[in-house]
Amino acid sequence: MWGIDEKIEVAGEIIANARHAVVFTGAGVSAESGVPTFRGKDGLWTRYDPEEVASITGFRRNPRAFWNFSKELLLKKKAEPNPAHYAIAELEEMGIVKAVITQNVDMLHQRAGSKVVYELHGSMEFVDCLDCGKTYRWDEIEKILERDEDMKCQCGCPYLKPRVVLFGEQLPADVLSASIEESKKCDVFMVVGSSLVVYPAANLPMYAKNSGAKLIIVNAERTHADDYFDVVIHGRAGEVMPRIVEAVKRLRR
Ligand code: APR
Ligand code: ZN
């Protein structure tokens, strides 16, 4: 049975020889940036009811509950990209990773330098008033949240909704079809920091597998899908990902 060092070497070799690698990320890739995860040890869903704080029906019933939850998700402390985000951006820079498909809404991949990022669950970048249609940028909203003010639009409407996909909403069709396309055409599909339990996102590794791609997963805990992966590395993304990039560089010399 390989140890983690051998697994990192094998993953490095697969990625160094990739023609078209795709990276698929979840909350675990941002954990070391201080952004809480949803599941696993003290995940957000052990403290919040997703139906109440992250569904479209819950939002319409009580937008304040959503914004209190979002504060913890995104304002815990000023989240900065961590070494895992930078490692993934470097693999794109090296021409190996052609796309990042993320379930995260924290925009940390883009801030780390990744250029091609498919945000399956949208992002907090823009927030729209459901009444008058005014659009706010996230940094304007952040200031209101930090002042702990009531989240209300200038028109007085409390339904300020970020362009994130809440439970009960459809994923953006164009982003989903582009992500399926990428998963089908890649020859290496690497999952970083996801429990792979939310669909349709969690179907993507299977599209890649069925198209003959090699599958790698870097995750802190075991997932139900681990057995489908060619390389399974249980570890912290912020530590493992830079080591994989080092191995790729060594093997590409
Ligand atoms: N490094 C790597 N993996 C980590 C780390 C870390 N430092 N910390 C936690 N993890 C792992 C956890 O073990 C867990 O398996 O990351 C995974 C995160 O899983 P989830 O919290 O379920 O997040 P995700 O898979 O992104 O959830 C998908 O569910 O609630 C919805 O819309 C929400 O986008 C989210 C979707
Ligand atoms: Zn308004």
Side-chain angles (χ1 to χ4, degrees), residues 25-149:
T25 65
V29 79
S30 299
E32 289 152 271
S33 300
V35 181
T37 59
F38 297 96
R39 297 170 188 81
K41 222 165 33 52
D42 39 306
L44 287 160
W45 297 150
T46 58
R47 284 174 282 123
Y48 290 93
D49 169 4
E51 203 291 322
E52 195 201 333
V53 299
S55 75
I56 187 62
T57 41
F59 178 79
R60 287 195 179 287
R61 197 176 37 244
N62 177 4
R64 210 171 155 66
F66 168 81
W67 282 109
N68 287 336
F69 162 70
S70 298
K71 235 186 253 182
E72 174 160 357
L73 179 63
L74 288 161
L75 273 185
K76 203 166 160 61
K77 62 182 179 63
K78 263 229 169 292
E80 294 295 332
N82 70 61
H85 295 105
Y86 288 114
I88 292 165
E90 193 171 356
L91 289 173
E92 182 187 58
E93 182 72 25
M94 292 163 78
I96 299 173
V97 166
K98 307 292 186 196
V100 175
I101 302 169
T102 188
Q103 302 170 91
N104 301 339
V105 298
D106 56 30
M107 301 173 271
L108 291 178
H109 283 300
Q110 293 91 326
R111 285 178 52 202
S114 288
K115 304 269 181 305
V116 182
V117 181
Y118 294 107
E119 293 171 309
L120 282 175
H121 296 160
S123 92
M124 300 295 275
E125 185 161 15
F126 296 106
V127 176
D128 304 306
C129 169
L130 299 188
D131 205 1
C132 72
K134 180 172 168 41
T135 295
Y136 296 80
R137 290 188 55 80
W138 176 245
D139 42 17
E140 294 173 273
I141 295 288
E142 223 172 15
K143 288 196 190 75
I144 304 174
L145 281 175
E146 278 163 352
R147 287 198 304 267
D148 207 10
E149 270 179 34

Side-chain angles (χ1 to χ4, degrees), residues 83-241:
H85 295 105
Y86 288 114
I88 292 165
E90 193 171 356
L91 289 173
E92 182 187 58
E93 182 72 25
M94 292 163 78
I96 299 173
V97 166
K98 307 292 186 196
V100 175
I101 302 169
T102 188
Q103 302 170 91
N104 301 339
V105 298
D106 56 30
M107 301 173 271
L108 291 178
H109 283 300
Q110 293 91 326
R111 285 178 52 202
S114 288
K115 304 269 181 305
V116 182
V117 181
Y118 294 107
E119 293 171 309
L120 282 175
H121 296 160
S123 92
M124 300 295 275
E125 185 161 15
F126 296 106
V127 176
D128 304 306
C129 169
L130 299 188
D131 205 1
C132 72
K134 180 172 168 41
T135 295
Y136 296 80
R137 290 188 55 80
W138 176 245
D139 42 17
E140 294 173 273
I141 295 288
E142 223 172 15
K143 288 196 190 75
I144 304 174
L145 281 175
E146 278 163 352
R147 287 198 304 267
D148 207 10
E149 270 179 34
D150 230 1
M151 284 308 293
K152 269 200 176 62
C153 174
Q154 283 161 5
C155 75
C157 168
Y159 295 102
L160 286 176
K161 183 169 177 308
R163 292 180 196 169
V164 295
V165 179
L166 298 179
F167 284 115
E169 289 190 298
Q170 295 293 319
L171 273 65
D174 53 339
V175 176
L176 180 57
S177 54
S179 301
I180 292 171
E181 173 92 11
E182 280 294 332
S183 305
K184 286 181 174 172
K185 75 178 172 191
C186 74
D187 61 338
V188 176
F189 190 94
M190 178 154 63
V191 173
V192 185
S194 179
S195 62
L196 295 173
V197 295
V198 171
Y199 292 83
N203 283 323
L204 295 178
M206 293 312 129
Y207 281 116
K209 180 126 191 119
N210 295 338
S211 308
K214 283 248 185 259
L215 266 56
I216 300 168
I217 183 166
V218 175
N219 202 57
E221 293 162 273
R222 186 171 165 64
T223 74
H224 69 92
D226 276 11
D227 295 344
Y228 287 99
F229 285 78
D230 300 283
V231 184
V232 176
I233 301 175
H234 289 152
R236 291 173 336 111
E239 198 183 300
V240 170
M241 290 309 293

